[in-house]
Amino acid sequence: MKARNWQMDRRISLGLIAALLLQAGSAIWWAAGKEQQDRFQDSRLVQAEAAMIRQSGDQALIAERLARIEARMESQIEILKNIEKRLGRD
């Protein structure tokens, strides 16, 4: 095999070379922007997941407090029924 020196054909215009370089630069710029967008979306996803975890903990606390309130109300209703019985109102 014979090694040949690489040479650029003079028929290739500078406009074509400029267009190829511009296209390559645009692809790199797009990839960098896409990477930044992906990182931003990943951070937002982590924040959303953390918020969901906090909300589920808050919901459990609210459900527990609601159950306590219901138990107290049932107790108050029983007390009121006993008072009404003593007063002679059925």
Side-chain angles (χ1 to χ4, degrees), residues 42 49 55 70 79:
D42 287 345
E49 288 173 344
Q55 285 178 352
E70 287 176 345
I79 291 171

Side-chain angles (χ1 to χ4, degrees), residues 20-79:
L20 291 174
L21 290 174
L22 184 62
Q23 187 176 15
S26 296
I28 292 170
W29 185 24
W30 174 83
K34 183 69 174 148
E35 174 66 25
Q36 182 181 10
Q37 183 182 16
D38 289 348
R39 275 188 270 136
F40 175 73
Q41 287 177 347
D42 287 345
S43 69
R44 294 282 300 193
L45 181 61
V46 168
Q47 290 173 356
E49 288 173 344
M52 283 178 44
I53 291 170
R54 282 193 308 272
Q55 285 178 352
S56 66
D58 291 345
Q59 286 175 348
L61 179 63
I62 290 170
E64 181 182 335
R65 293 185 75 186
L66 182 60
R68 288 180 188 170
I69 290 171
E70 287 176 345
R72 286 181 186 169
M73 285 188 61
E74 288 174 6
S75 173
Q76 294 296 322
I77 289 171
E78 287 299 317
I79 291 171

Side-chain angles (χ1 to χ4, degrees), residues 75-86 89:
S75 173
Q76 294 296 322
I77 289 171
E78 287 299 317
I79 291 171
L80 285 174
K81 284 181 182 178
N82 287 336
I83 291 172
E84 285 180 347
K85 256 187 198 176
R86 287 184 187 170
R89 297 179 191 169

